[in-house]
Amino acid sequence: MKGYIIYNTEDLTKNKRFIKFITETLNEYNIDVELVIIDRVELAELENPDFVINRSRNADVSRYFEGKNIRVFNSGKITEIANDKRKSYEYLEGIVPFMPLMSEEEAESSGKPYIIKSCNGHGGTQVFMVENFRQKNEAINEMKGNDFIFQKCCSDLGRDVRVYVIGNEIVQAMERTSAESFKSNYSLGGKAEPYTLKDYEISMVKKILNVLPMDYAGIDFIFHKGKAVFNEIEDAVGARMIYENTDIHIVKLFAEYIARKVRK
């Protein structure tokens, strides 16, 4: 049995340990894994594998293989919605609370700081807190033509929670904090520690997973007036934070989940 793990060149270097862990674990189940760098090949040139682990954030890649009835982790639906913040909020409207989106006019006339963020950014990139016209223009220029949204700013800055999910089940939540920035991303220097989810937070996670089943992903919450509200879904979620702050071998758990699914 053979599968592909798919990345783009940009993300390859910082994910070498992830690739190593998942390949070694699946090899223990006599499952071979081949690395495919998607921006260096044409999909039509590839042989059909038994399964695909799509870490490219490109939903078209997932759908290409799904069209051939090949199992993809995560599905094309998850990859599409998770990597477009506008679609995430539209899809989860009325299901879980999140900070309201605003028009440009509403943001400017609010008289309060607001957020501008790219729809397809990840890892805290292309997210800006804006307080004036100059900062707004600088933020928009940083989008480099990408679609972006205006959003009301939460009250509790520099704090969020990521919930790691495997096979539509909660594995571990991690709280991230930063004293230097309104963004608490671990990759940007934030501190992290295990977090015990409250009942209403578990309920929110389950509501999301009920409509968006996930093989392996992170669901992020920020805090407004002390209460967690949905922020985003990380499709090709990183693992460094959980390895450096817990004893959980999360990539091994994901690989074992894949093995169970594809060997049925």
Side-chain angles (χ1 to χ4, degrees), residues 24-171:
E24 289 178 348
T25 303
L26 286 172
N27 285 168
E28 294 173 6
Y29 289 87
N30 295 317
I31 299 172
D32 293 326
V33 180
E34 179 181 340
L35 172 64
V36 173
I37 305 172
I38 199 60
D39 46 330
R40 299 182 187 176
V41 299
E42 294 290 335
L43 287 174
E45 298 173 359
L46 298 172
E47 296 180 359
N48 289 342
D50 296 294
F51 66 92
V52 169
I53 306 164
N54 182 17
R55 303 272 295 171
S56 71
R57 300 190 184 87
N58 186 335
D60 289 339
V61 171
S62 293
R63 292 202 175 95
Y64 173 82
F65 289 106
E66 287 171 340
K68 295 174 173 286
N69 293 318
I70 294 169
R71 179 67 157 90
V72 182
F73 306 84
N74 284 309
S75 69
K77 179 179 179 179
I78 292 298
T79 298
E80 177 184 356
I81 293 173
N83 291 288
D84 187 324
K85 293 179 179 63
R86 190 189 302 279
K87 288 182 180 179
S88 294
Y89 294 130
E90 289 174 349
Y91 200 88
L92 294 174
E93 178 75 42
I95 295 174
V96 290
F98 50 82
M99 298 309 296
L101 303 188
M102 302 186 289
S103 68
E104 184 172 357
E105 293 73 22
E106 288 171 334
E108 289 182 340
S109 63
S110 68
K112 298 178 181 179
Y114 57 91
I115 300 297
I116 296 178
K117 57 186 174 184
S118 165
C119 288
N120 62 2
H122 55 88
T125 61
Q126 295 188 328
V127 180
F128 303 92
M129 187 165 66
V130 171
E131 299 186 52
N132 55 51
F133 186 75
R134 176 184 59 80
Q135 290 177 344
K136 183 195 81 169
N137 285 339
E138 289 175 351
I140 291 174
N141 287 337
E142 286 293 323
M143 299 303 164
K144 298 178 173 33
N146 292 325
D147 188 22
F148 59 90
I149 54 176
F150 296 87
Q151 189 172 31
K152 185 177 179 180
C153 190
C154 67
S155 62
D156 305 359
L157 302 176
R159 178 192 180 205
D160 77 349
V161 165
R162 168 163 293 171
V163 182
Y164 285 87
V165 172
I166 294 177
N168 233 36
E169 298 288 339
I170 295 171
V171 176

Side-chain angles (χ1 to χ4, degrees), residues 176-180 183-192 241 245:
R176 304 178 292 188
T177 56
S178 174
E180 285 77 40
K183 294 183 284 188
S184 53
N185 301 71
Y186 195 64
S187 61
L188 300 179
K191 297 179 180 179
M241 171 171 60
N245 297 281

